[in-house]
Amino acid sequence: MKFSEINLLDELQRPELTELRGIFTRRSVTKGAVAFHPETDENLVFVIASGRVRIYLGYEEKEFTLGVLEPGDLYSTHAGCYAQALEDSTLMVTDVQSVKRCMSEIPLFTRTMVRVLGQILNNSFSIIGSLAFKDIYTRLTSFLHKEALRTGTPCSGGTELRLALTTEQLSLHMGATRQTVSTLLNNLVREGIMVKKGRSIWVIPDMEALHRQTQQ
């Protein structure tokens, strides 16, 4: 689940934003490492240059994934969340004050940031609404349907969906146990809603049939 459909890597290539690119430094994060945590003293904004980063909340031994950042996505360290690399990743990092200065001096960047933050806020409300009003089955099928619409590709059997998430990572994303998510996925396969093609690779024969599951 992306936080924003606006790719800041593309936006930063504009000639008008040459100065802005200079405020970022690159930081490498190895797979599995937590780049930032809620108690960090760094007040930073970061853009994913490569790899994927999981944003999640943690309390004692419980975790709940809010989303997965992909290249071009933006987030900040003062959001009270953990940021963990799902694979070797590179972050473009800068301090909040530099961003504020650029927003006051570069109108184009201000408009871009307003659009990005608006989409992030909209997505956050969607996550909150899903947790408050949907059960795990509806959350899972809604997620699968949305990801298939966003990243799925046509294939001979329908629509191919490559999740790039293990069952464990998917369960964290859903806020459920691995066993529960695995059982629900098996049920979807048994009912013919999805076909398992490989590790984290699925074929959806009928997108409308999957969509109907999100309404239950």
Side-chain angles (χ1 to χ4, degrees):
M1 179 181 294
K2 285 179 65 63
F3 273 82
S4 172
E5 297 303 322
I6 299 172
N7 190 318
L8 273 181
L9 294 180
D10 293 338
E11 295 291 323
L12 289 172
Q13 295 307 309
R14 297 191 182 202
E16 307 96 309
L17 298 181
T18 300
E19 177 186 352
L20 177 63
R21 292 196 293 272
I23 71 173
F24 289 94
T25 58
R26 289 181 176 261
R27 182 179 299 189
S28 297
V29 187
T30 58
K31 179 180 179 180
V34 175
F36 304 109
H37 54 81
E39 293 78 25
T40 185
D41 293 328
E42 299 178 292
N43 195 11
L44 305 173
V45 170
F46 61 94
V47 179
I48 310 302
S50 65
R52 294 182 302 135
V53 174
R54 178 171 74 105
I55 302 298
Y56 70 96
L57 299 173
Y59 178 72
E60 295 181 345
E61 297 182 356
K62 296 181 179 179
E63 296 179 3
F64 181 76
T65 299
L66 296 178
V68 175
L69 302 180
E70 299 177 1
D73 283 338
L74 167 144
Y75 212 65
S76 68
T77 61
H78 58 270
C81 303
Y82 293 88
Q84 178 189 43
L86 292 179
E87 55 193 61
D88 290 345
S89 304
T90 301
L91 311 182
M92 295 169 57
V93 181
T94 189
D95 61 278
V96 171
Q97 290 303 318
S98 293
V99 173
K100 289 181 178 179
R101 176 177 57 80
C102 287
M103 288 182 69
S104 65
E105 297 176 357
I106 308 174
L108 176 61
F109 182 58
T110 301
R111 293 195 296 270
T112 298
M113 287 299 294
V114 169
R115 288 162 55 212
V116 169
L117 295 175
Q119 287 199 6
I120 290 175
L121 182 61
N122 181 67
N123 187 67
S124 298
F125 283 137
S126 176
I127 292 171
I128 293 170
S130 177
L131 286 172
F133 303 113
K134 296 180 180 179
D135 60 22
I136 177 57
Y137 181 77
T138 305
R139 293 205 305 272
L140 177 62
T141 53
S142 295
F143 173 80
L144 294 171
H145 183 259
K146 183 176 181 179
E147 288 300 294
L149 289 175
R150 188 174 70 87
T151 66
T153 57
C155 65
S156 59
T159 301
E160 183 178 283
L161 173 61
R162 293 176 176 264
L163 277 181
L165 292 171
T166 64
T167 303
E168 179 68 26
Q169 291 169 343
L170 182 58
S171 66
L172 290 172
H173 198 84
M174 294 293 103
T177 65
R178 185 184 186 283
Q179 181 179 2
T180 297
V181 170
S182 181
T183 297
L184 293 177
L185 289 172
N186 288 335
N187 289 344
L188 289 170
V189 170
R190 186 166 55 251
E191 295 168 4
I193 305 298
M194 295 172 58
V195 177
K196 188 173 179 60
K197 188 175 180 180
R199 184 179 176 84
S200 299
I201 303 175
W202 307 85
V203 172
I204 303 168
D206 184 350
M207 286 288 289
E208 182 57 35
L210 177 58
H211 183 257
R212 285 195 294 271
Q213 302 305 304
T214 71
Q215 311 301 312
Q216 297 186 12

